[in-house]
Amino acid sequence: MRVSVTDLRSICKRGAIRWTAHVLKRLMLRNITQDEVLQAIETGEIIEQYPEDYPFPSCLLLGMTSAGRYLHVVCGRGEQEVWMITAYAPDPDEWESDWKTRKKVTG
């Protein structure tokens, strides 16, 4: 099953979100707020799908906060809720300037 950004937005608006201890710790270490993650989902687009992830299909989304900060958000789509996995600012050493395309590893 592929994840739909429309479904993610709808579920998040209902407040059916699971924030694990792992994601909350990562957000704190990276100085990212939960509101910024939700803003990124609201404005974002899915750039990678992981339909075989367990226990739920997940995706990588690129979005922007109200302050103009780009974020990558990884989340899973459960039956009736979104499971937040992690969020981070894209690293220019790993991503092209569009923040959607992974840089090719050479060597």
Side-chain angles (χ1 to χ4, degrees):
M1 177 175 93
R2 294 175 62 84
V3 178
S4 154
V5 72
T6 305
D7 288 346
L8 293 177
R9 289 177 183 148
S10 175
I11 294 167
C12 287
K13 282 182 182 173
R14 287 197 328 261
I17 306 166
R18 294 284 184 137
W19 299 93
T20 65
H22 169 83
V23 72
L24 292 174
K25 180 179 179 181
R26 293 288 180 243
L27 294 180
M28 186 178 70
L29 292 172
R30 296 170 179 153
N31 198 28
I32 299 170
T33 67
Q34 289 172 280
D35 281 344
E36 287 177 310
V37 171
L38 297 176
Q39 291 165 16
I41 291 172
E42 185 60 34
T43 64
E45 65 181 289
I46 294 173
I47 59 173
E48 292 181 1
Q49 292 271 356
Y50 313 119
E52 304 302 320
D53 271 5
Y54 179 84
F56 306 111
S58 66
C59 64
L60 171 63
L61 181 141
L62 170 66
M64 185 183 291
T65 69
S66 59
R69 180 182 185 191
Y70 284 101
L71 290 180
H72 279 168
V73 177
V74 180
C75 57
R77 164 76 160 76
E79 292 277 328
Q80 300 293 326
E81 57 200 356
V82 172
W83 287 77
M84 295 300 174
I85 298 167
T86 196
Y88 56 90
D91 183 339
D93 291 336
E94 296 178 27
W95 295 90
E96 298 292 345
S97 60
D98 65 358
W99 304 126
K100 300 176 191 178
T101 310
R102 291 183 189 269
K103 288 188 174 179
K104 304 276 190 268
V105 177
T106 57

